[in-house]
């Protein structure tokens, strides 16, 4: 199921729309100093997505404070880009999940479809089960996820806690993860 979603440009279009909303919220909130934000987006060459993603995927939204002497950077959270990882967030989550469970997708299949090799898959697993599992975000957020998801079940267990079909689960988990996608922007509570 996740394989189909990962190849569907409509799924990525939904994520792009959500990112647009997140960026607008961050921009409207302004800089921590109270100054207005100017657009200063980063070029990206994300890997792992299907053909025909559109030009929007070549950019990660970001802003700079317009106040002379501040110029602080504000990068809005994202459901498309998981921090600085080169692969799209959806790929890092769902391809990792595909390697878990009772019938894991074969490495060769994942490599052919997404260009992700065994070493990268291992690195992602370690990231999920160590850095993510032991990090402050998951330690604070895991109590909201029931039934309990153990570090060993990450990320598949987390994805499966979201209701709906594969696309809904994908959107749900990527929305849930947005706080870890930026270190320079905290959206006001209740705004998302
Ligand atoms: Zn500022």
């Amino acid at each position: 199921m996740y394989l189909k979603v990962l190849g569907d440009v409509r799924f990525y279009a939904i994520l792009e729309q959500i990112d647009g909303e997140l960026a607008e919220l961050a921009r409207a909130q302004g800089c921590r100093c109270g100054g207005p934000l100017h657009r200063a987006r980063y070029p990206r060459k994300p890997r792992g997505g299907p053909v025909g993603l559109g030009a929007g995927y070549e950019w990660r939204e970001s802003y700079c404070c317009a106040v002379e002497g501040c110029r602080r950077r504000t990068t809005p959270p994202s459901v498309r880009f998981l921090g600085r990882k080169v692969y799209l967030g959806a790929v890092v989550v769902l391809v990792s999940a595909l390697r878990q469970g009772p019938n894991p997708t074969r490495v060769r299949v994942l490599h052919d479809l997404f260009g992700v090799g065994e070493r990268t898959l291992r690195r992602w697993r370690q990231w999920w089960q160590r850095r993510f599992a032991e990090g402050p975000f998951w330690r604070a957020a895991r109590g909201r996820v029931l039934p309990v998801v153990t570090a060993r079940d990450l990320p598949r267990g987390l994805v499966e806690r979201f209701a709906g079909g594969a696309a809904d689960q994908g959107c749900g988990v990527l929305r849930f993860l947005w706080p870890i996608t930026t270190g320079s922007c905290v959206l006001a509570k209740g705004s998302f």
Side-chain angles (χ1 to χ4, degrees):
M1 263 208 325
Y2 302 139
L3 277 182
K4 206 170 153 198
V5 163
L6 284 167
D8 187 348
V9 287
R10 287 170 304 179
F11 173 63
Y12 292 92
I14 294 168
L15 298 179
E16 189 171 1
Q17 199 184 332
I18 296 170
D19 264 16
E21 290 162 15
L22 286 169
E24 186 44 39
L25 284 169
R27 196 199 57 75
Q29 203 171 269
C31 180
R32 268 184 282 170
C33 78
L37 296 175
H38 285 178
R39 203 177 195 195
R41 54 192 191 164
Y42 294 115
R44 296 294 299 259
K45 280 193 166 51
R47 291 196 209 159
V51 176
L53 270 191
Y57 270 82
E58 289 166 21
W59 300 96
R60 168 84 195 253
E61 285 305 335
S62 190
Y63 300 97
C64 257
C65 179
V67 175
E68 199 66 51
C70 177
R71 300 283 183 204
R72 197 197 306 268
R73 193 39 102 157
T74 296
T75 299
S78 171
V79 295
R80 297 183 298 160
F81 303 108
L82 198 56
R84 291 182 183 175
K85 289 194 164 33
V86 281
Y87 283 88
L88 289 165
V91 175
V92 178
V93 178
L94 297 179
V95 169
S96 296
L98 281 164
R99 281 296 295 154
Q100 299 175 295
N103 299 301
T105 307
R106 281 180 300 158
V107 173
R108 195 160 54 86
V109 172
L110 296 174
H111 184 262
D112 289 350
L113 287 172
F114 306 104
V116 182
E118 196 162 9
R119 255 181 44 200
T120 303
L121 290 167
R122 199 163 47 232
R123 199 155 39 81
W124 288 352
R125 192 176 62 228
Q126 284 174 355
W127 182 82
W128 281 112
Q129 300 185 357
R130 292 191 200 157
R131 276 199 62 186
F132 176 80
E134 290 159 18
F137 170 76
W138 179 243
R139 282 190 292 161
R142 66 188 173 194
R144 290 192 271 135
V145 182
L146 288 169
V148 169
V149 178
T150 63
R152 255 194 71 173
D153 286 334
L154 287 168
R156 189 183 179 95
L158 177 61
V159 179
E160 287 174 344
R161 295 301 179 270
F162 291 88
D168 298 316
Q169 289 184 318
C171 281
V173 72
L174 289 163
R175 275 178 182 268
F176 177 84
L177 292 170
W178 73 256
I180 65 164
T181 63
T182 175
S184 63
C185 178
V186 177
L187 291 181
K189 267 204 176 108
S191 62
F192 184 67

